[in-house]
Amino acid sequence: MNEKIQSAVSSIKHDDKGKAQFIRFVLNGIFSAGVHYGVYFLLQLLIEVNTAYAIGYIVSFAANFYTTCLFTFRQKPTWQKFIGFSGSHGINFCLHIVLFWCCMQLGIHRLIAPVIVMGIAMLVQFTILRFIFKKK
């Protein structure tokens, strides 16, 4: 498994197409976070904050899927890709929880740990999504 991850990261480093996809992936992540926060910010003025946050996440998730297809990987959205995308987000969530817990156990400061977790999880997420969106 470790060899597969190293191979995927290596192919990204030595692949101009992969570099461009990674840059678009990061930009898309920034956009999606903005959508989530923007929807949350507007709705929390009108409804309960937890509900506003959840709706913001759902809207952001849908927008993220379409922009990942169309912008990051330049492919047509399909149900198969949506299922893979959803699964990758499930894996990413679990990875966040485990890595954050590990950081806390190692005594890493609670404000530094999320940065470490997000950096690792972002690379794993990109690798998974690149596999899901690989053209056949």
Side-chain angles (χ1 to χ4, degrees):
M1 183 68 172
N2 194 17
E3 277 184 30
K4 289 182 181 181
I5 293 172
Q6 287 176 340
S7 174
V9 170
S10 178
S11 72
I12 292 167
K13 287 181 183 176
H14 303 294
D15 177 11
D16 288 337
K17 181 180 175 185
K19 288 177 186 175
Q21 284 177 342
F22 185 74
I23 291 168
R24 291 191 304 267
F25 173 79
V26 171
L27 292 173
N28 185 35
I30 293 167
F31 168 76
S32 296
V35 168
H36 185 185
Y37 187 81
V39 171
Y40 163 73
F41 181 80
L42 294 174
L43 290 180
Q44 60 87 32
L45 298 170
L46 306 170
I47 61 176
E48 195 268 330
V49 293
N50 290 309
T51 303
Y53 192 84
I55 292 170
Y57 181 85
I58 292 166
V59 171
S60 172
F61 184 84
N64 191 355
F65 170 68
Y66 281 101
T67 54
T68 295
C69 289
L70 301 172
F71 176 68
T72 303
F73 294 103
R74 304 190 184 215
Q75 295 181 23
K76 181 181 173 185
T78 66
W79 282 108
Q80 182 179 5
K81 287 183 177 92
F82 179 76
I83 291 167
F85 182 83
S86 299
S88 77
H89 274 269
I91 292 168
N92 195 27
F93 176 75
C94 293
L95 183 62
H96 271 262
I97 298 304
V98 170
L99 289 175
F100 187 78
W101 180 85
C102 289
C103 286
M104 294 296 95
Q105 297 305 306
L106 293 170
I108 297 172
H109 192 275
R110 69 178 188 274
L111 296 178
I112 302 297
V115 175
I116 295 168
V117 171
M118 288 177 196
I120 294 168
M122 177 182 59
L123 293 173
V124 172
Q125 178 77 349
F126 179 70
T127 303
I128 293 169
L129 287 175
R130 194 156 189 230
F131 176 77
I132 291 168
F133 286 89
K134 186 176 185 176
K135 291 187 179 181
K136 296 175 181 167

